[in-house]
Amino acid sequence: MNSFTKILGILFFMAINPLQAQQLTQTIRGTVIDQITKAPMPGATVMIIGSDPVVGTTTDLAGDFKITNLPLGAYSLKISFMGFREIIFPNVQLNSGKEVVLTIPLVEDITQIDEFVVTAIDKERTINDMIQVSGRTFSVEEARKFAAAVNDPGRMALSFSGVTSTDDGNNNISIRGNSPNGLLWRMEGIEIPNPNHFVNPGTSGGGVSILSSQLLANSDFLTGAFPAEYGNALSGVFDLSLRKGNNENQEFTLQAGFLGLDVATEGPIAKNYKGSYLINYRYSTLSMLSKIGLPLGDFVTNFQDLSFNVYLPTGPKSTITLFGFGGLSDQNGDALTDSLEWESEGDRYGGTFFSNSGAVGIKHSFILNEANFLQTTVLASGNSLGTSENRLDDNLQFEDRFYENYSNSKITLSSVLNTKFSAKANLRSGFYVNQLYYNLREDSFEEESQRLETNINSKGNTQSIQAFSQLNYRASERLTINVGLHYLQLLLNDSKSIEPRFSASYALDEKQRLSVGYGLHSQVQPLGTYFAEQEVDGQITLPNEDLDLSKSHHFVLGYDRSLTPYLRMKVETYYQHLFNIPIKNGEDESYSIINQQWTFATDPLVNEGFGKNYGVEVTLEQFTHNDLYFLLSTSLYNSQYITNENVWRNTAYNGNFNVTLTAGKEYVLKKNRVFGINLRTIYSGGLRDTPIDLAASIEKGEGVYIEDQLYSEKSPNYFRADLRFSLKKNKPKSTRTWALDIQNATNRKNVYGEYFEPMENKIKTSYQAPLIPILSYRVEF
């Protein structure tokens, strides 16, 4: 801890060391558009709130505005246009290193009578206007500020109600008691493969996000009862939007730290052309953390990624966007060849692991007329991952113990049409057609035969189809209704689902809002599950090939109240009924795919399982005011499942409660220097585990679990405190930031689970991540 104390001392010394302040300025500019048709809005008024004398401007024929020579600091903008709702765009932070470029959507008024004043407050509403329940906007600033979030959307989301971590070692999250695998990732309105490094088969998370915060714009996060445009998901949705590069000035960002090197560049495509590019590259080796004494394992771990967004206007009504990402990650380790050094069974194992993922898309946006906006996207994506594992026997000979190699690729065509019928009603309809290619192989060691046996071996292609239509109807200034349908079909076995969706919100007054939502949702099984092999009378069969989709009914009731212009309380209660869940057939079988987190299920399954998740969530949030923000999220919930044994059991993710406090404060020491302190504490119920039969494990030489007591044990309650200290210094044409993130600052030993250790014939406890410091230095210029 002495070294960490010294680092903190350096940061505080730098913070109090007096420097000559300069009056630095920056520019706010952007575009005002119609929220539905995306058409630019010339003549809109943009004003700086509280400026004296008044500072502001109006948008030009292209809907663009620019306000220059503003002193550095935080500003709130008021945007108005005749016939549209006036909105407040708060907490726009100006630094010297980069211009602020905004896209501001306005919503048309449905009445000229002001029943009450409606203003947009930061994060109070989602970017997608169809979302009425269980959704919120998260910003790039949150990803950067939140303690130990390290620019990762998955880790940042741990601050939100209903979200819990399943493992400190990765960013897998359980939403409202569901499996992490029920999460959908979208980018620019289209489904993408899991955008993480160090991915396990069939999962939606990984060790580190591929997507740098440099590339992301404000985006939406959903936790239930999704609108009709979202499909193939049971638990939640990350709906990511990409930031356009600066189309007037070239800018750079460089960040170096314990996680590696992060470089970004952006700028105009050509002079007097509104096109722009944004490119980000990262390279890291986590072995740097091991070298300073952190117990991250004996594997050499590396990753690198590239992401980009190129914006190309092709006329006053159309644009083309090229976007994409790609990530490479691997781990390599060797067994200890000296048997005298073996202290655990793991010392005898070595192997390699790789995980690669990427997507490249082209999007065409076209304003057909004043009422219709069409967006068409083609995306090519894929991922490939593999593991090769060996073990040294007592004669120091290597035995192959496990092999997997999974490759999936996909070509997706999507087209979505927005139609504005009137100020009250708009319709969004579209389709997604996916051409899927797969090449899957898994072999595992069988004790009885003492050799590798094939579990999955399949190569081929199939298709899936999705279509949706959803109507947004503003019956009055108080009441908004959304209705829609989603259709999902997997042509591999012709499994399909027609899914009604409904949500509504009603403003009781200018401070209070009630909301209700319902949705039927379905999800395709992890692809490898369909191709699990079984040998019957010498013939290889695929018992899971005809598995149906997993499905879930979502019900949500919510209440919002603005306590002050900056303080908001939100309460949501929900019930989810899961059905068609794959389980093992038999009255004495307790396995359900609900609990599957790693690899593919390879046993024969039937769609006869059920589950239920229900709970209440309370959020108290202060948006940044006087340089202070906080977010208190509390969840009480229950998550259970049932198989043909007709016994309700806890799922693996049933922690029952979760309380998270995220807060931060910035201190302006001089005009050009800001010191920030950010905190996140998480206190939650322990996740569930299955007890180990010690006697049977000793006899067999490996862990044997008591199957009729599946997930009956609850780990001790989990507590973690994360801290972030930052020092930002604005200089002419550049902004420089030192930051120290400390995960698990109290170094608490949170229990991950229990395992049987054959070399000692004991049941031992494994623990979550220890204290981990991440020091970084960032320059924007």
Side-chain angles (χ1 to χ4, degrees), residues 153-215:
R155 287 183 167 85
M156 180 202 61
L158 293 176
S159 296
F160 302 153
S161 290
V163 181
T164 57
S165 171
T166 62
D167 179 5
D168 285 351
N170 59 59
N171 57 19
N172 275 338
I173 55 175
S174 172
I175 300 172
R176 293 179 170 175
N178 286 286
S179 166
N181 302 338
L183 180 65
L184 169 70
W185 289 94
R186 297 211 322 175
M187 175 183 285
E188 294 293 287
I190 194 166
E191 183 177 351
I192 59 173
N194 184 345
N196 289 286
H197 293 291
F198 309 110
V199 170
N200 281 287
T203 61
S204 62
V208 180
S209 174
I210 290 176
L211 303 173
S212 170
S213 64
Q214 298 292 339
L215 201 72

Side-chain angles (χ1 to χ4, degrees), residues 1-70:
M1 287 295 293
N2 288 338
S3 59
F4 306 137
T5 304
K6 290 178 181 178
I7 293 172
L8 289 177
I10 291 171
L11 287 174
F12 278 109
F13 174 77
M14 294 171 66
I16 64 174
N17 184 36
L19 290 176
Q20 183 68 34
Q22 291 179 267
Q23 179 73 2
L24 303 177
T25 63
Q26 188 52 278
T27 295
I28 296 177
R29 61 185 182 88
T31 305
V32 180
I33 62 173
D34 183 296
Q35 180 166 303
I36 307 303
T37 66
K38 312 304 178 185
M41 302 185 64
T45 301
V46 182
M47 307 294 292
I48 301 293
I49 294 178
S51 56
D52 186 18
V54 175
V55 176
T57 186
T58 57
T59 57
D60 61 18
L61 291 176
D64 296 332
F65 70 91
K66 179 184 290 188
I67 304 175
T68 61
N69 297 320
L70 290 171

Side-chain angles (χ1 to χ4, degrees), residues 136-155:
R136 64 163 294 138
T137 295
F138 67 91
S139 68
V140 175
E141 284 302 314
E142 286 178 328
R144 292 177 183 170
K145 278 186 178 181
F146 281 10
V150 290
N151 300 327
D152 187 327
R155 287 183 167 85

